[in-house]
Amino acid sequence: MTLDRRAFAAGLTALPLLSAAPVALAATPGARPGPFLLGADITWIPQDEADGAQFFANGRRQDILAILDEAGFNAIKIRVFVNPENGYSAQRKTDPWAGLGQTVAMARRIKAAGMHLTISFHYSDTWADPQKQGKPAAWKDLSFDALVKAVGDHTRQVLGALVKAGARPDMVVIGNEITFGTLWPDGRVPLPVPTGNPATDAVHLNVPDAGGFDKLARLLSAGLDASRETVPGVKTSLHNHLGRHWTIVSHWMDSLLARGVRFDATGFSCYQQAAEGDWANTFARFGERYRDHGFYVAEYSSRKRYVNDLVFDAPGQRGWGTFIWEPTRHQEAIFDQDGKNAGEGPRPNLLSQGINAAEAPGAQIAGAPPPHPEKTEHGGRYDANAFMELYRQMARDYGLKKG
């Protein structure tokens, strides 16, 4: 192992042991609680392995976690659905993908590899994202009070199973890309101002049945409280998908904090900007306004060095880290599949260059060029590509890796 794992084994309570690593400001609220998280969301890996995917680095087949570790990654994020057999994994009723059993199994692999573990809750049977936050089938007819209870009970069940299995998470994300709330319509919140993305604005500017921030705050607090009760000391976070839009981020944060929602950090999705410097502006102003909160990038793909440097260099060490999203399949993948990049290819950085579909998943914009086709075959050979050396260099520069 080339990375310092002792800080992670202690639940990120210890300081980094490498002399090159910056000392975490443990006594400063919001400061990075341990080593910078150079992370990846790889929830699709068990599915791809079941389809026959094999991973290679320098011509040698290895476990993907070993390949990522050698390249400098030290953190993994995985998502979990409520009853995916009713939605996401409808074709796999037994041990459904991203259900409780499979999540526990993957989490045990991650912890056995000595890596930081983040669990991302989709309070749905299928994808919960900016364009859809559907209730699980088992919860659709519940009263609001019962819905709040269901959030807490489900969170306790998942985290309790992880702890029992020896896969204690280090961070928990309550909801996925919940800029417009979760568990619609009860926990839905409308846009306060346009985003500039026509696909997003068409869906979220006029929402007469939105439950509003009062209900959203209760739902989120149920999950956050359950996390702290089940895994004492765990770091808690929420996820806003518009890391580029400070006005929306600050309105969202202020609205939740005013209602007593307590969490340690905010994750941002960083796929596209309206203008160059939008992400940098949000990160700088977030650190000034919310001094007792940290932040991290929960999803990104392109501009790998730029995004990581922005987070790492944030004043007061309030930038906790980053998680590249599904880097064996998505956009600029860090593996080649059977000789070609395993992702769909690079996407627009600026809104003026076209809409990056990751910002409004599944949205169709009239007159827009068709999106890059997604690969449907996920077996075969995957070889670590040149992006891995970029991550090795970042790990060295951030004091995570020697040599």
PDB file of all heavy atoms in Angstrom, residues 199-237:
ATOM      1  N   ALA A 199     -33.315  22.959 -20.081  1.00  0.00           N
ATOM      2  CA  ALA A 199     -33.906  21.688 -19.677  1.00  0.00           C
ATOM      3  C   ALA A 199     -34.279  21.716 -18.199  1.00  0.00           C
ATOM      4  O   ALA A 199     -35.324  21.198 -17.788  1.00  0.00           O
ATOM      5  CB  ALA A 199     -32.944  20.543 -19.958  1.00  0.00           C
ATOM      6  N   THR A 200     -33.438  22.311 -17.384  1.00  0.00           N
ATOM      7  CA  THR A 200     -33.702  22.417 -15.951  1.00  0.00           C
ATOM      8  C   THR A 200     -34.816  23.414 -15.668  1.00  0.00           C
ATOM      9  O   THR A 200     -35.758  23.137 -14.920  1.00  0.00           O
ATOM     10  CB  THR A 200     -32.422  22.839 -15.210  1.00  0.00           C
ATOM     11  OG1 THR A 200     -31.414  21.848 -15.406  1.00  0.00           O
ATOM     12  CG2 THR A 200     -32.676  23.007 -13.725  1.00  0.00           C
ATOM     13  N   ASP A 201     -34.737  24.582 -16.279  1.00  0.00           N
ATOM     14  CA  ASP A 201     -35.706  25.633 -15.987  1.00  0.00           C
ATOM     15  C   ASP A 201     -37.113  25.242 -16.403  1.00  0.00           C
ATOM     16  O   ASP A 201     -38.091  25.611 -15.741  1.00  0.00           O
ATOM     17  CB  ASP A 201     -35.286  26.934 -16.684  1.00  0.00           C
ATOM     18  CG  ASP A 201     -33.976  27.488 -16.136  1.00  0.00           C
ATOM     19  OD1 ASP A 201     -33.556  27.031 -15.052  1.00  0.00           O
ATOM     20  OD2 ASP A 201     -33.371  28.357 -16.795  1.00  0.00           O
ATOM     21  N   ALA A 202     -37.243  24.480 -17.480  1.00  0.00           N
ATOM     22  CA  ALA A 202     -38.565  24.065 -17.945  1.00  0.00           C
ATOM     23  C   ALA A 202     -39.283  23.186 -16.932  1.00  0.00           C
ATOM     24  O   ALA A 202     -40.515  23.174 -16.863  1.00  0.00           O
ATOM     25  CB  ALA A 202     -38.437  23.321 -19.279  1.00  0.00           C
ATOM     26  N   VAL A 203     -38.525  22.477 -16.117  1.00  0.00           N
ATOM     27  CA  VAL A 203     -39.110  21.531 -15.160  1.00  0.00           C
ATOM     28  C   VAL A 203     -39.306  22.148 -13.783  1.00  0.00           C
ATOM     29  O   VAL A 203     -40.249  21.801 -13.062  1.00  0.00           O
ATOM     30  CB  VAL A 203     -38.210  20.273 -15.053  1.00  0.00           C
ATOM     31  CG1 VAL A 203     -38.703  19.324 -13.969  1.00  0.00           C
ATOM     32  CG2 VAL A 203     -38.141  19.555 -16.390  1.00  0.00           C
ATOM     33  N   HIS A 204     -38.457  23.105 -13.391  1.00  0.00           N
ATOM     34  CA  HIS A 204     -38.391  23.484 -11.980  1.00  0.00           C
ATOM     35  C   HIS A 204     -38.768  24.923 -11.645  1.00  0.00           C
ATOM     36  O   HIS A 204     -38.789  25.272 -10.463  1.00  0.00           O
ATOM     37  CB  HIS A 204     -36.978  23.210 -11.460  1.00  0.00           C
ATOM     38  CG  HIS A 204     -36.584  21.771 -11.520  1.00  0.00           C
ATOM     39  ND1 HIS A 204     -37.168  20.808 -10.732  1.00  0.00           N
ATOM     40  CD2 HIS A 204     -35.693  21.115 -12.303  1.00  0.00           C
ATOM     41  CE1 HIS A 204     -36.644  19.629 -11.003  1.00  0.00           C
ATOM     42  NE2 HIS A 204     -35.750  19.789 -11.961  1.00  0.00           N
ATOM     43  N   LEU A 205     -39.082  25.755 -12.628  1.00  0.00           N
ATOM     44  CA  LEU A 205     -39.409  27.143 -12.297  1.00  0.00           C
ATOM     45  C   LEU A 205     -40.849  27.306 -11.824  1.00  0.00           C
ATOM     46  O   LEU A 205     -41.161  28.208 -11.054  1.00  0.00           O
ATOM     47  CB  LEU A 205     -39.155  28.041 -13.510  1.00  0.00           C
ATOM     48  CG  LEU A 205     -37.727  28.592 -13.630  1.00  0.00           C
ATOM     49  CD1 LEU A 205     -37.545  29.330 -14.945  1.00  0.00           C
ATOM     50  CD2 LEU A 205     -37.385  29.501 -12.458  1.00  0.00           C
ATOM     51  N   ASN A 206     -41.753  26.461 -12.278  1.00  0.00           N
ATOM     52  CA  ASN A 206     -43.162  26.574 -11.903  1.00  0.00           C
ATOM     53  C   ASN A 206     -43.648  25.235 -11.368  1.00  0.00           C
ATOM     54  O   ASN A 206     -43.997  24.332 -12.136  1.00  0.00           O
ATOM     55  CB  ASN A 206     -43.997  27.002 -13.114  1.00  0.00           C
ATOM     56  CG  ASN A 206     -45.458  27.197 -12.754  1.00  0.00           C
ATOM     57  OD1 ASN A 206     -45.801  27.404 -11.587  1.00  0.00           O
ATOM     58  ND2 ASN A 206     -46.322  27.120 -13.752  1.00  0.00           N
ATOM     59  N   VAL A 207     -43.637  25.103 -10.050  1.00  0.00           N
ATOM     60  CA  VAL A 207     -43.990  23.826  -9.412  1.00  0.00           C
ATOM     61  C   VAL A 207     -45.045  24.100  -8.343  1.00  0.00           C
ATOM     62  O   VAL A 207     -44.737  24.238  -7.150  1.00  0.00           O
ATOM     63  CB  VAL A 207     -42.746  23.155  -8.782  1.00  0.00           C
ATOM     64  CG1 VAL A 207     -43.082  21.744  -8.333  1.00  0.00           C
ATOM     65  CG2 VAL A 207     -41.583  23.142  -9.756  1.00  0.00           C
ATOM     66  N   PRO A 208     -46.302  24.193  -8.720  1.00  0.00           N
ATOM     67  CA  PRO A 208     -47.345  24.584  -7.762  1.00  0.00           C
ATOM     68  C   PRO A 208     -47.580  23.590  -6.637  1.00  0.00           C
ATOM     69  O   PRO A 208     -48.079  23.969  -5.565  1.00  0.00           O
ATOM     70  CB  PRO A 208     -48.594  24.730  -8.645  1.00  0.00           C
ATOM     71  CG  PRO A 208     -48.308  23.920  -9.865  1.00  0.00           C
ATOM     72  CD  PRO A 208     -46.834  24.016 -10.085  1.00  0.00           C
ATOM     73  N   ASP A 209     -47.234  22.304  -6.844  1.00  0.00           N
ATOM     74  CA  ASP A 209     -47.521  21.314  -5.795  1.00  0.00           C
ATOM     75  C   ASP A 209     -46.316  21.019  -4.911  1.00  0.00           C
ATOM     76  O   ASP A 209     -46.346  20.058  -4.126  1.00  0.00           O
ATOM     77  CB  ASP A 209     -48.043  20.018  -6.412  1.00  0.00           C
ATOM     78  CG  ASP A 209     -47.004  19.313  -7.288  1.00  0.00           C
ATOM     79  OD1 ASP A 209     -46.034  19.983  -7.719  1.00  0.00           O
ATOM     80  OD2 ASP A 209     -47.170  18.104  -7.547  1.00  0.00           O
ATOM     81  N   ALA A 210     -45.254  21.800  -5.014  1.00  0.00           N
ATOM     82  CA  ALA A 210     -44.049  21.536  -4.212  1.00  0.00           C
ATOM     83  C   ALA A 210     -44.341  21.687  -2.722  1.00  0.00           C
ATOM     84  O   ALA A 210     -44.959  22.662  -2.284  1.00  0.00           O
ATOM     85  CB  ALA A 210     -42.929  22.483  -4.627  1.00  0.00           C
ATOM     86  N   GLY A 211     -43.870  20.719  -1.934  1.00  0.00           N
ATOM     87  CA  GLY A 211     -44.094  20.760  -0.489  1.00  0.00           C
ATOM     88  C   GLY A 211     -43.340  21.863   0.214  1.00  0.00           C
ATOM     89  O   GLY A 211     -43.758  22.340   1.269  1.00  0.00           O
ATOM     90  N   GLY A 212     -42.190  22.266  -0.334  1.00  0.00           N
ATOM     91  CA  GLY A 212     -41.435  23.378   0.222  1.00  0.00           C
ATOM     92  C   GLY A 212     -40.364  22.972   1.203  1.00  0.00           C
ATOM     93  O   GLY A 212     -40.201  21.794   1.564  1.00  0.00           O
ATOM     94  N   PHE A 213     -39.603  23.969   1.641  1.00  0.00           N
ATOM     95  CA  PHE A 213     -38.432  23.719   2.487  1.00  0.00           C
ATOM     96  C   PHE A 213     -38.790  23.211   3.875  1.00  0.00           C
ATOM     97  O   PHE A 213     -37.983  22.503   4.493  1.00  0.00           O
ATOM     98  CB  PHE A 213     -37.580  24.987   2.587  1.00  0.00           C
ATOM     99  CG  PHE A 213     -36.613  25.156   1.451  1.00  0.00           C
ATOM    100  CD1 PHE A 213     -36.861  26.049   0.430  1.00  0.00           C
ATOM    101  CD2 PHE A 213     -35.445  24.395   1.402  1.00  0.00           C
ATOM    102  CE1 PHE A 213     -35.973  26.198  -0.618  1.00  0.00           C
ATOM    103  CE2 PHE A 213     -34.546  24.534   0.360  1.00  0.00           C
ATOM    104  CZ  PHE A 213     -34.812  25.445  -0.656  1.00  0.00           C
ATOM    105  N   ASP A 214     -39.955  23.556   4.405  1.00  0.00           N
ATOM    106  CA  ASP A 214     -40.315  23.042   5.729  1.00  0.00           C
ATOM    107  C   ASP A 214     -40.379  21.517   5.713  1.00  0.00           C
ATOM    108  O   ASP A 214     -39.835  20.840   6.610  1.00  0.00           O
ATOM    109  CB  ASP A 214     -41.658  23.610   6.186  1.00  0.00           C
ATOM    110  CG  ASP A 214     -41.566  25.070   6.599  1.00  0.00           C
ATOM    111  OD1 ASP A 214     -40.438  25.571   6.773  1.00  0.00           O
ATOM    112  OD2 ASP A 214     -42.625  25.715   6.730  1.00  0.00           O
ATOM    113  N   LYS A 215     -41.027  20.963   4.702  1.00  0.00           N
ATOM    114  CA  LYS A 215     -41.127  19.505   4.617  1.00  0.00           C
ATOM    115  C   LYS A 215     -39.791  18.881   4.233  1.00  0.00           C
ATOM    116  O   LYS A 215     -39.409  17.825   4.771  1.00  0.00           O
ATOM    117  CB  LYS A 215     -42.212  19.118   3.620  1.00  0.00           C
ATOM    118  CG  LYS A 215     -43.625  19.382   4.135  1.00  0.00           C
ATOM    119  CD  LYS A 215     -44.681  18.839   3.191  1.00  0.00           C
ATOM    120  CE  LYS A 215     -46.069  18.966   3.799  1.00  0.00           C
ATOM    121  NZ  LYS A 215     -47.116  18.429   2.888  1.00  0.00           N
ATOM    122  N   LEU A 216     -39.066  19.502   3.315  1.00  0.00           N
ATOM    123  CA  LEU A 216     -37.758  18.968   2.944  1.00  0.00           C
ATOM    124  C   LEU A 216     -36.845  18.903   4.160  1.00  0.00           C
ATOM    125  O   LEU A 216     -36.130  17.914   4.366  1.00  0.00           O
ATOM    126  CB  LEU A 216     -37.120  19.827   1.857  1.00  0.00           C
ATOM    127  CG  LEU A 216     -35.701  19.432   1.447  1.00  0.00           C
ATOM    128  CD1 LEU A 216     -35.647  17.997   0.926  1.00  0.00           C
ATOM    129  CD2 LEU A 216     -35.152  20.405   0.405  1.00  0.00           C
ATOM    130  N   ALA A 217     -36.872  19.932   4.992  1.00  0.00           N
ATOM    131  CA  ALA A 217     -36.008  19.955   6.174  1.00  0.00           C
ATOM    132  C   ALA A 217     -36.322  18.794   7.104  1.00  0.00           C
ATOM    133  O   ALA A 217     -35.415  18.165   7.673  1.00  0.00           O
ATOM    134  CB  ALA A 217     -36.175  21.284   6.910  1.00  0.00           C
ATOM    135  N   ARG A 218     -37.581  18.467   7.287  1.00  0.00           N
ATOM    136  CA  ARG A 218     -37.939  17.355   8.159  1.00  0.00           C
ATOM    137  C   ARG A 218     -37.467  16.019   7.589  1.00  0.00           C
ATOM    138  O   ARG A 218     -36.973  15.157   8.328  1.00  0.00           O
ATOM    139  CB  ARG A 218     -39.451  17.317   8.383  1.00  0.00           C
ATOM    140  CG  ARG A 218     -39.974  18.379   9.350  1.00  0.00           C
ATOM    141  CD  ARG A 218     -41.416  18.108   9.716  1.00  0.00           C
ATOM    142  NE  ARG A 218     -41.588  16.804  10.371  1.00  0.00           N
ATOM    143  CZ  ARG A 218     -42.763  16.219  10.549  1.00  0.00           C
ATOM    144  NH1 ARG A 218     -43.881  16.810  10.105  1.00  0.00           N
ATOM    145  NH2 ARG A 218     -42.841  15.042  11.151  1.00  0.00           N
ATOM    146  N   LEU A 219     -37.623  15.847   6.286  1.00  0.00           N
ATOM    147  CA  LEU A 219     -37.181  14.598   5.656  1.00  0.00           C
ATOM    148  C   LEU A 219     -35.667  14.436   5.776  1.00  0.00           C
ATOM    149  O   LEU A 219     -35.163  13.358   6.130  1.00  0.00           O
ATOM    150  CB  LEU A 219     -37.601  14.585   4.186  1.00  0.00           C
ATOM    151  CG  LEU A 219     -39.101  14.477   3.923  1.00  0.00           C
ATOM    152  CD1 LEU A 219     -39.415  14.795   2.470  1.00  0.00           C
ATOM    153  CD2 LEU A 219     -39.621  13.086   4.289  1.00  0.00           C
ATOM    154  N   LEU A 220     -34.927  15.497   5.482  1.00  0.00           N
ATOM    155  CA  LEU A 220     -33.468  15.410   5.553  1.00  0.00           C
ATOM    156  C   LEU A 220     -32.996  15.201   6.988  1.00  0.00           C
ATOM    157  O   LEU A 220     -32.082  14.412   7.241  1.00  0.00           O
ATOM    158  CB  LEU A 220     -32.842  16.675   4.971  1.00  0.00           C
ATOM    159  CG  LEU A 220     -33.114  16.944   3.491  1.00  0.00           C
ATOM    160  CD1 LEU A 220     -32.420  18.233   3.050  1.00  0.00           C
ATOM    161  CD2 LEU A 220     -32.662  15.780   2.626  1.00  0.00           C
ATOM    162  N   SER A 221     -33.612  15.890   7.923  1.00  0.00           N
ATOM    163  CA  SER A 221     -33.206  15.740   9.326  1.00  0.00           C
ATOM    164  C   SER A 221     -33.439  14.320   9.814  1.00  0.00           C
ATOM    165  O   SER A 221     -32.667  13.796  10.631  1.00  0.00           O
ATOM    166  CB  SER A 221     -33.961  16.739  10.207  1.00  0.00           C
ATOM    167  OG  SER A 221     -33.533  18.064   9.926  1.00  0.00           O
ATOM    168  N   ALA A 222     -34.491  13.664   9.320  1.00  0.00           N
ATOM    169  CA  ALA A 222     -34.739  12.272   9.709  1.00  0.00           C
ATOM    170  C   ALA A 222     -33.576  11.390   9.283  1.00  0.00           C
ATOM    171  O   ALA A 222     -33.120  10.519  10.044  1.00  0.00           O
ATOM    172  CB  ALA A 222     -36.040  11.774   9.086  1.00  0.00           C
ATOM    173  N   GLY A 223     -33.076  11.572   8.065  1.00  0.00           N
ATOM    174  CA  GLY A 223     -31.940  10.787   7.597  1.00  0.00           C
ATOM    175  C   GLY A 223     -30.646  11.156   8.289  1.00  0.00           C
ATOM    176  O   GLY A 223     -29.835  10.283   8.641  1.00  0.00           O
ATOM    177  N   LEU A 224     -30.431  12.435   8.507  1.00  0.00           N
ATOM    178  CA  LEU A 224     -29.211  12.889   9.172  1.00  0.00           C
ATOM    179  C   LEU A 224     -29.160  12.421  10.621  1.00  0.00           C
ATOM    180  O   LEU A 224     -28.125  11.937  11.100  1.00  0.00           O
ATOM    181  CB  LEU A 224     -29.126  14.417   9.098  1.00  0.00           C
ATOM    182  CG  LEU A 224     -28.890  14.992   7.697  1.00  0.00           C
ATOM    183  CD1 LEU A 224     -29.242  16.474   7.658  1.00  0.00           C
ATOM    184  CD2 LEU A 224     -27.449  14.771   7.263  1.00  0.00           C
ATOM    185  N   ASP A 225     -30.281  12.560  11.336  1.00  0.00           N
ATOM    186  CA  ASP A 225     -30.322  12.112  12.731  1.00  0.00           C
ATOM    187  C   ASP A 225     -30.098  10.607  12.827  1.00  0.00           C
ATOM    188  O   ASP A 225     -29.363  10.126  13.705  1.00  0.00           O
ATOM    189  CB  ASP A 225     -31.665  12.474  13.366  1.00  0.00           C
ATOM    190  CG  ASP A 225     -31.839  13.966  13.582  1.00  0.00           C
ATOM    191  OD1 ASP A 225     -30.839  14.709  13.492  1.00  0.00           O
ATOM    192  OD2 ASP A 225     -32.988  14.398  13.829  1.00  0.00           O
ATOM    193  N   ALA A 226     -30.720   9.848  11.918  1.00  0.00           N
ATOM    194  CA  ALA A 226     -30.538   8.401  11.925  1.00  0.00           C
ATOM    195  C   ALA A 226     -29.092   8.015  11.653  1.00  0.00           C
ATOM    196  O   ALA A 226     -28.566   7.053  12.235  1.00  0.00           O
ATOM    197  CB  ALA A 226     -31.454   7.756  10.881  1.00  0.00           C
ATOM    198  N   SER A 227     -28.419   8.765  10.803  1.00  0.00           N
ATOM    199  CA  SER A 227     -27.012   8.490  10.506  1.00  0.00           C
ATOM    200  C   SER A 227     -26.144   8.671  11.739  1.00  0.00           C
ATOM    201  O   SER A 227     -25.304   7.824  12.067  1.00  0.00           O
ATOM    202  CB  SER A 227     -26.523   9.419   9.383  1.00  0.00           C
ATOM    203  OG  SER A 227     -27.261   9.231   8.199  1.00  0.00           O
ATOM    204  N   ARG A 228     -26.355   9.781  12.421  1.00  0.00           N
ATOM    205  CA  ARG A 228     -25.543  10.054  13.616  1.00  0.00           C
ATOM    206  C   ARG A 228     -25.847   9.061  14.732  1.00  0.00           C
ATOM    207  O   ARG A 228     -24.939   8.686  15.487  1.00  0.00           O
ATOM    208  CB  ARG A 228     -25.787  11.490  14.075  1.00  0.00           C
ATOM    209  CG  ARG A 228     -25.153  12.543  13.171  1.00  0.00           C
ATOM    210  CD  ARG A 228     -25.327  13.940  13.738  1.00  0.00           C
ATOM    211  NE  ARG A 228     -26.680  14.422  13.589  1.00  0.00           N
ATOM    212  CZ  ARG A 228     -27.099  15.227  12.602  1.00  0.00           C
ATOM    213  NH1 ARG A 228     -26.234  15.622  11.669  1.00  0.00           N
ATOM    214  NH2 ARG A 228     -28.349  15.637  12.548  1.00  0.00           N
ATOM    215  N   GLU A 229     -27.090   8.622  14.847  1.00  0.00           N
ATOM    216  CA  GLU A 229     -27.446   7.657  15.886  1.00  0.00           C
ATOM    217  C   GLU A 229     -26.838   6.287  15.599  1.00  0.00           C
ATOM    218  O   GLU A 229     -26.369   5.598  16.518  1.00  0.00           O
ATOM    219  CB  GLU A 229     -28.971   7.517  15.951  1.00  0.00           C
ATOM    220  CG  GLU A 229     -29.694   8.750  16.458  1.00  0.00           C
ATOM    221  CD  GLU A 229     -31.196   8.678  16.194  1.00  0.00           C
ATOM    222  OE1 GLU A 229     -31.673   7.599  15.777  1.00  0.00           O
ATOM    223  OE2 GLU A 229     -31.886   9.705  16.381  1.00  0.00           O
ATOM    224  N   THR A 230     -26.847   5.889  14.338  1.00  0.00           N
ATOM    225  CA  THR A 230     -26.414   4.541  13.976  1.00  0.00           C
ATOM    226  C   THR A 230     -24.901   4.428  13.851  1.00  0.00           C
ATOM    227  O   THR A 230     -24.323   3.380  14.181  1.00  0.00           O
ATOM    228  CB  THR A 230     -27.070   4.125  12.641  1.00  0.00           C
ATOM    229  OG1 THR A 230     -28.478   4.395  12.703  1.00  0.00           O
ATOM    230  CG2 THR A 230     -26.858   2.641  12.360  1.00  0.00           C
ATOM    231  N   VAL A 231     -24.267   5.495  13.389  1.00  0.00           N
ATOM    232  CA  VAL A 231     -22.807   5.505  13.215  1.00  0.00           C
ATOM    233  C   VAL A 231     -22.259   6.736  13.921  1.00  0.00           C
ATOM    234  O   VAL A 231     -21.993   7.770  13.290  1.00  0.00           O
ATOM    235  CB  VAL A 231     -22.415   5.520  11.727  1.00  0.00           C
ATOM    236  CG1 VAL A 231     -20.920   5.242  11.565  1.00  0.00           C
ATOM    237  CG2 VAL A 231     -23.225   4.520  10.916  1.00  0.00           C
ATOM    238  N   PRO A 232     -22.105   6.682  15.235  1.00  0.00           N
ATOM    239  CA  PRO A 232     -21.633   7.859  15.961  1.00  0.00           C
ATOM    240  C   PRO A 232     -20.314   8.378  15.392  1.00  0.00           C
ATOM    241  O   PRO A 232     -19.393   7.616  15.109  1.00  0.00           O
ATOM    242  CB  PRO A 232     -21.451   7.328  17.386  1.00  0.00           C
ATOM    243  CG  PRO A 232     -22.408   6.182  17.484  1.00  0.00           C
ATOM    244  CD  PRO A 232     -22.384   5.541  16.120  1.00  0.00           C
ATOM    245  N   GLY A 233     -20.258   9.673  15.201  1.00  0.00           N
ATOM    246  CA  GLY A 233     -19.046  10.290  14.682  1.00  0.00           C
ATOM    247  C   GLY A 233     -18.953  10.334  13.167  1.00  0.00           C
ATOM    248  O   GLY A 233     -18.013  10.926  12.626  1.00  0.00           O
ATOM    249  N   VAL A 234     -19.898   9.714  12.456  1.00  0.00           N
ATOM    250  CA  VAL A 234     -19.848   9.716  10.997  1.00  0.00           C
ATOM    251  C   VAL A 234     -20.031  11.148  10.486  1.00  0.00           C
ATOM    252  O   VAL A 234     -20.734  11.960  11.084  1.00  0.00           O
ATOM    253  CB  VAL A 234     -20.937   8.793  10.404  1.00  0.00           C
ATOM    254  CG1 VAL A 234     -22.335   9.390  10.558  1.00  0.00           C
ATOM    255  CG2 VAL A 234     -20.641   8.469   8.950  1.00  0.00           C
ATOM    256  N   LYS A 235     -19.370  11.472   9.385  1.00  0.00           N
ATOM    257  CA  LYS A 235     -19.563  12.760   8.748  1.00  0.00           C
ATOM    258  C   LYS A 235     -20.825  12.694   7.895  1.00  0.00           C
ATOM    259  O   LYS A 235     -21.070  11.703   7.198  1.00  0.00           O
ATOM    260  CB  LYS A 235     -18.359  13.128   7.886  1.00  0.00           C
ATOM    261  CG  LYS A 235     -17.065  13.305   8.687  1.00  0.00           C
ATOM    262  CD  LYS A 235     -17.209  14.372   9.755  1.00  0.00           C
ATOM    263  CE  LYS A 235     -15.933  14.540  10.556  1.00  0.00           C
ATOM    264  NZ  LYS A 235     -16.117  15.503  11.680  1.00  0.00           N
ATOM    265  N   THR A 236     -21.625  13.751   7.961  1.00  0.00           N
ATOM    266  CA  THR A 236     -22.879  13.787   7.224  1.00  0.00           C
ATOM    267  C   THR A 236     -22.828  14.884   6.178  1.00  0.00           C
ATOM    268  O   THR A 236     -22.191  15.921   6.370  1.00  0.00           O
ATOM    269  CB  THR A 236     -24.066  14.034   8.166  1.00  0.00           C
ATOM    270  OG1 THR A 236     -23.839  15.243   8.902  1.00  0.00           O
ATOM    271  CG2 THR A 236     -24.248  12.873   9.121  1.00  0.00           C
ATOM    272  N   SER A 237     -23.511  14.650   5.066  1.00  0.00           N
ATOM    273  CA  SER A 237     -23.487  15.650   4.002  1.00  0.00           C
ATOM    274  C   SER A 237     -24.761  15.612   3.187  1.00  0.00           C
ATOM    275  O   SER A 237     -25.522  14.632   3.210  1.00  0.00           O
ATOM    276  CB  SER A 237     -22.272  15.441   3.093  1.00  0.00           C
ATOM    277  OG  SER A 237     -22.390  14.242   2.359  1.00  0.00           O
TER     278      SER A 237
END
